[in-house]
Amino acid sequence: MPSVPPLDFSGLNTYSLHGRHSKVTVADFAQPVKPGMTVRELIANLPKQLAGKDFPELVERIAAAVTQKRPVLVGMGAHVIKVGLAPILIDLMERGIISALALNGAGIIHDAEIAMVGRTSEEVANVLGAGAFGAARETGEVLNQAINQGAKEGIGLGEAVGNALLQQNFPFNDQSLLAQARRLGIPVTVHVAMGTDIIHIHPAADGAAIGQCSHHDFRVFCRLVSGLEGGVYLNLGSAVLLPEVFLKALTVVRNLGHLVQRFTTANFDFIRAYRPATNVVHRPTLEGGKGFNFTGHHELMIPLLAAAVVDRLGDV
């Protein structure tokens, strides 16, 4: 068989590098880190590429929302609590930066266990075989009693649990998002998928009460979203539930005639998932505003975001 001759490149058309448009220039490069560098200097010296460009813009948008008295709403998964970030979020609430929180059902479990005993997150693999996973008595009793009482009072699930934690004066309430939000008068809504949370297997669980309180919270969340124009919605670590809730709330308020078009959204998570990217970052901002997507560990990214925003607002 004859061999295939290689293609002759000698006639290739070329152009000058000096006249070509390039996406990266030395003006966009990062600057070296220096001892004693401030947060503001660190952010300013990031490379002006990809997340290094997007992150400072998000910080500016959050700061603008706060200074203009627009809401900063945070929807979050329970892992944010499990990796020890409640104190940072509580500080942001106390500073008036976070306007409201939206949690999934697991969020109240980890938060309440922290309030009660200062620790949470059992080793599932060690107890699942014996059928003991999720069977902690106090967790089931305290939370289900709070929800059942909340249903009697006609209030939401987040408010009911916050009230119960404060009333029982647990030793670690100062580390509890729900207790501190209730103390500060900041709304916390809880969005439950029945059967996903350990408290649903306990004898005191009342499906009607859980559904009533969680639906009340969905309506409260819709009220909060109705005022989101010019504000910010942050999705921290919820891959499915909160992105779906946010999208439904947004369509409800637009259907009812509320102007919610120009606002900022951002998703922070370990990996890029379909629902946060679609239901938080892209679809909601098609009418205006801007969405951002950041990938990284919560225990690094959220403190960095908080530090940058607090530092930026130090001048106002």
Side-chain angles (χ1 to χ4, degrees):
M1 295 289 292
S3 59
V4 177
L7 185 65
D8 181 5
F9 292 169
S10 62
L12 183 75
N13 294 315
T14 63
Y15 53 82
S16 172
L17 173 62
H18 294 281
R20 188 198 71 188
H21 169 72
S22 299
K23 295 185 291 184
V24 178
T25 77
V26 293
D28 298 332
F29 280 15
Q31 297 302 307
V33 174
K34 300 176 182 178
M37 180 179 276
T38 66
V39 174
R40 186 172 307 188
E41 290 170 339
L42 173 64
I43 299 302
N45 288 332
L46 293 174
K48 307 302 187 291
Q49 295 290 330
L50 303 175
K53 183 179 179 181
D54 287 346
F55 190 84
E57 182 179 350
L58 175 63
V59 171
E60 289 297 320
R61 286 171 173 263
I62 295 173
V66 174
T67 57
Q68 295 166 16
K69 308 299 182 184
R70 306 310 304 152
V72 177
L73 310 182
V74 175
M76 53 181 275
H79 197 78
V80 177
I81 299 171
K82 289 171 62 175
V83 297
L85 293 172
I88 288 176
L89 297 175
I90 291 169
D91 178 68
L92 294 179
M93 289 192 291
E94 290 178 335
R95 292 176 183 272
I97 295 172
I98 291 178
S99 309
L101 292 174
L103 307 177
N104 60 12
I108 65 169
I109 292 167
H110 294 297
D111 190 74
E113 289 186 344
I114 289 293
M116 288 189 282
V117 297
R119 57 185 186 272
T120 189
S121 192
E122 62 187 311
E123 282 289 354
V124 178
N126 292 347
V127 293
L128 185 61
F133 169 48
R137 181 178 64 257
E138 294 87 350
T139 306
E141 289 179 352
V142 168
L143 289 174
N144 281 310
Q145 288 171 6
I147 295 167
N148 295 343
Q149 182 61 34
K152 293 177 182 177
E153 296 177 12
I155 61 176
L157 203 154
E159 182 178 352
V161 173
N163 286 343
L165 296 180
L166 291 179
Q167 289 166 3
Q168 298 186 58
N169 195 27
F170 288 120
F172 295 95
N173 270 353
D174 61 328
Q175 304 293 312
S176 162
L177 288 173
L178 284 112
Q180 294 308 305
R182 190 69 189 128
R183 176 182 66 84
L184 294 166
I186 290 177
V188 178
T189 60
V190 182
H191 307 271
V192 175
M194 188 62 70
T196 62
D197 305 321
I198 60 171
I199 62 171
H200 301 161
I201 70 174
H202 284 253
D206 184 329
I210 295 169
Q212 176 186 323
C213 290
S214 191
H215 188 259
H216 181 103
D217 273 357
F218 175 64
R219 293 167 61 201
V220 171
F221 184 69
C222 289
R223 172 67 69 183
L224 297 169
V225 171
S226 74
L228 193 56
E229 183 75 3
V232 179
Y233 181 74
L234 303 176
N235 183 70
L236 309 181
S238 179
V240 177
L241 190 64
L242 267 301
E244 290 292 349
V245 171
F246 177 64
L247 198 68
K248 306 312 184 297
L250 185 61
T251 194
V252 165
V253 301
R254 286 175 172 173
N255 182 285
L256 292 173
H258 296 275
L259 179 66
V260 185
Q261 293 180 331
R262 299 189 179 278
F263 57 94
T264 301
T265 65
N267 176 60
F268 286 79
D269 212 344
F270 298 135
I271 61 173
R272 294 204 174 194
Y274 169 78
R275 281 178 175 81
T278 304
N279 293 357
V280 176
V281 178
H282 298 309
R283 284 175 177 165
T285 57
L286 290 174
E287 305 297 320
K290 189 169 182 178
F292 299 87
N293 212 337
F294 299 100
T295 305
H297 287 274
H298 299 316
E299 57 271 26
L300 299 177
M301 295 298 294
I302 295 175
L304 177 61
L305 177 65
V309 171
V310 169
D311 186 76
R312 174 62 182 80
L313 288 168
D315 289 341
V316 299

